[in-house]
Amino acid sequence: MKNYLILPALILSVSIGYSQKSKNAYELASPNGQNKIKFELVKNAPKYGVSHGKTEVITPSDMGFLLKGNENLSSDFEIKSVKNSTFDETWEQVWGEKKNIRNHYNQLSVELQQKAGNKRKLEIQFRAFDDGIAFRYVYPKQSVKDSIFIMDEKTTFNLKEDGKAWWIPANRENRDEYLFKDAPVSTLDTVLTPLTIESKSGLALSFHEANLTDFASMTLVNTTGTQLKSDLVPWSDGVKVRVKDTFTSSWRTLQIGEKPADLITSYLILNLNEPNKLKNTSYFKPYKYFGIWWGMHIGKYTFWESDKQGATTKHAEEYIDFTAKEGFHHLLIEGWNKGWTPQWYENHMHMFSFTKSADNFDLEKVVEYGNKKGVALIGYHETGSNLINYLKEVDEGFALYKKLGMHSVKIGHVGSKLNMKENHFGQFGVNYFRYILEKAAQYDLAVLYHESIKDTGERRTFPNMVSREAARGQEYNAWSEGNPPNHLTIIPFTRLLSGPMDFTPGIFDVEVKQGYPGKRVHGTTAQQLALYVTIYAPIQMMADLPENYEGKPALQFLKDVPTDWEDTKVLDGKIGEYITTARKDRNSSDWYLGTITYENARDVNVSLSFLDPAATYEAQIYADAEGTDETHNPSAVAISKKTVKASDSLKLHLGGAGGTAIRFKKL
């Protein structure tokens, strides 16, 4: 078993945040004393509870597992030892939404052993942070060596009171690409995490997991009343987790905020992952990119070889010319390779090639042309969830990209099941996605996953994990009923709590005049600009067609806005209604602000106290034009400038489904 207690800045202590309440009961408090975890054995079964200040959040809840053969690993325990410690460090992200992150917690490790049967040992590690709590299970090597088959996890989260939960369903055909709904906790079925709850006590809660490695993803199921239970995503044969000799679960996490905005600036998930393991990260720097992509989704081009083929050498060179002319340096080209058919998105074992160019496309020639123009290509591998085929070719495909000097790859997994058999979120999928990530690092490739498992903070350990989809993105506006305006005011408080998202913002022609009849973006162009601040990712697409950017003054904001930040502040927000976010550029003194609203118009008064009080700034404002909203002249952007200081405030009007984006340029 790895000894997680001997870390460089770890200080052993018997007094800080820890107390023994009785022979079999212990309490662990966060550094500021607000969050407390109580652990106890009740009739030889482990139980835990959580409180925040004077508010009881989780009442005594079950812990443990059910193993194959109906063997119970949740009772008949005695405590063998208890260790406590505290840890405090500040670490620097290679890239991120905040440069320097403090990792400060108190830890309690309880070693248990069953008194009869196989006398199995189980260690439970608890950590109490100022922004929440976490615990995980460590199953060490035993005197009896055997293969472990976990059939169920018995962990429960007995919420003291009901609350409004923002949820999407688990174990469905479209994975996690569903619209969030709100409902009382007591009415939920099986849901994915992060699960955000506005408690009746007024607290904002988020259940998730961190450092998911060689284990099954945790979903949550409502069993009775306000009790949520861990429901591990199974293998196709029903087994939840299969390991040999030992296992370490992911951290079960509960982030706690006084208000929903506090959850967004909690870095608990990252802090529960191991430090950067990559020796070389110089090949990736955050960037913005164009793509031969939106044209396929709106039906102007096809992904496959046809008379409307999107990925041709001719189109690629035109896009490269536009990218270079506008001062950008990255281009994604989907459909460049052999294997695409009109049925590519259906559940079949598609046979894509990852080295052979499609007809009318010459990869080497396009890369060479891009190099002359200072534009790097982003690779694309669509697996169609046929991993049998992909794993045979992945080394050859990655080697080709390295040979051509390419350093980013988008990898898609369209399909309801991996290999038409295993769930994306099960242990099989977890191990596959980690394997590909580590392999990509061997070829100096940064990875952008689509149709993947959820983020659990592994970007700290492997900074080549730069972004992923894992939610309903912009593409749904091209060919479905679309995303309603409130979707963009929900995901910062839900999906984005897990990590960066490749939402693909930046549509200027929000009415999608070249697209399918009746399909459009349900918002304004100014709102699309604001998304570059309200949605975090170190890579951000400028998703529209080149002709829709040509000559548009609002393109200047996309040229200016960075994707790597020194600090992030959520100034205000209400889940499902609006959010206002400010971020400071890591490489300059400038700040950026994005504010968006749902279908109702809103007046926002923004205090500029986050700015440097000793400086003066030029506020470059991109707002909804007068009278603009989702259905009235939605592409109109009013651009203005104003000199401001930290003592000032700005009154902004957001049209229905609208927004405002601002650059604060230090003078």
Side-chain angles (χ1 to χ4, degrees), residues 143-312:
S143 57
V144 53
K145 292 188 176 182
D146 57 356
S147 295
I148 307 300
F149 295 85
I150 296 176
M151 306 307 294
D152 191 23
E153 181 178 338
K154 294 198 169 187
T155 303
T156 58
F157 306 88
N158 296 333
L159 284 159
K160 173 69 173 179
E161 57 189 8
D162 213 334
K164 181 190 288 188
W166 298 87
W167 64 278
I168 54 175
N171 308 323
R172 301 289 180 88
E173 184 175 3
N174 286 336
R175 303 162 308 276
D176 44 16
E177 296 180 18
Y178 291 91
L179 294 173
F180 281 88
K181 298 179 181 179
D182 64 276
V185 174
S186 54
T187 66
L188 298 181
D189 190 356
T190 306
V191 300
L192 288 171
T193 67
L195 175 67
T196 299
I197 298 170
E198 293 180 281
S199 174
K200 284 187 175 180
S201 68
L203 293 176
L205 311 173
S206 177
F207 290 94
H208 192 41
E209 57 186 318
N211 197 3
L212 176 58
T213 307
D214 194 20
F215 210 74
S217 298
M218 180 185 72
T219 63
L220 295 173
V221 60
N222 175 256
T223 52
T224 180
T226 56
Q227 181 186 87
L228 298 172
K229 179 186 173 297
S230 172
D231 188 24
L232 299 176
V233 178
W235 288 76
S236 56
D237 63 2
V239 175
K240 300 295 180 69
V241 177
R242 38 168 51 94
V243 292
K244 189 174 181 180
D245 294 337
T246 69
F247 69 80
T248 300
S249 75
S250 54
W251 291 95
R252 281 75 187 89
T253 64
L254 172 57
Q255 290 159 280
I256 304 172
E258 299 290 334
K259 56 187 184 301
D262 295 338
L263 300 174
I264 299 175
T265 51
S266 163
Y267 303 103
L268 181 149
I269 302 298
L270 283 175
N271 280 330
L272 288 164
N273 280 264
E274 296 179 21
N276 177 15
K277 287 185 176 180
L278 301 184
K279 294 181 179 179
N280 177 26
T281 59
S282 62
Y283 54 86
F284 173 75
K285 303 293 182 186
Y287 59 77
K288 289 162 290 188
Y289 67 100
F290 289 112
I292 301 180
W293 178 81
W294 186 242
M296 275 94 93
H297 281 284
I298 65 175
K300 180 179 180 180
Y301 302 130
T302 64
F303 285 93
W304 54 91
E305 296 164 345
S306 73
D307 57 357
K308 294 199 304 178
Q309 183 176 337
T312 66

Side-chain angles (χ1 to χ4, degrees), residues 426-542:
Q427 186 183 16
F428 174 86
V430 168
N431 289 345
Y432 158 76
F433 285 109
R434 181 60 64 93
Y435 171 79
I436 293 296
L437 179 61
E438 294 189 38
K439 180 168 287 294
Q442 296 171 13
Y443 291 90
D444 291 346
L445 281 169
V447 175
L448 165 61
Y449 277 140
H450 274 229
E451 300 85 29
S452 68
I453 55 169
K454 57 192 174 183
D455 195 336
T456 61
E458 59 266 44
R459 60 191 169 110
R460 181 186 180 190
T461 312
F462 297 98
N464 67 319
M465 178 68 259
V466 296
S467 193
R468 71 187 75 204
E469 186 183 34
R472 261 178 81 120
Q474 184 87 270
E475 63 198 49
Y476 277 80
N477 293 319
W479 37 256
S480 78
E481 75 282 2
N483 300 320
N486 72 346
H487 181 61
L488 295 169
T489 62
I490 295 173
I491 57 174
F493 300 97
T494 53
R495 155 64 182 89
L496 292 173
L497 298 183
S498 67
M501 180 182 176
D502 188 45
F503 180 81
T504 61
I507 301 300
F508 276 23
D509 176 25
V510 291
E511 296 174 287
V512 194
K513 298 181 182 68
Q514 295 188 59
Y516 298 112
K519 310 303 179 187
R520 58 157 298 165
V521 175
H522 296 285
T524 68
T525 298
Q527 185 189 70
Q528 289 286 306
L529 296 176
L531 297 182
Y532 288 84
V533 184
T534 63
I535 294 177
Y536 170 66
I539 59 173
Q540 292 275 27
M541 191 179 200
M542 295 163 290

Side-chain angles (χ1 to χ4, degrees), residues 601-614:
R602 179 178 303 276
D603 291 315
V604 178
N605 190 39
V606 180
S607 167
L608 303 185
S609 58
F610 56 87
L611 297 175
D612 180 353

Side-chain angles (χ1 to χ4, degrees), residues 303-304 340-348 350 352 384 414-416:
F303 285 93
W304 54 91
W340 293 86
T341 72
Q343 293 75 40
W344 70 271
Y345 55 88
E346 296 177 0
N347 283 321
H348 298 296
H350 299 284
F352 290 97
V414 170
S416 58

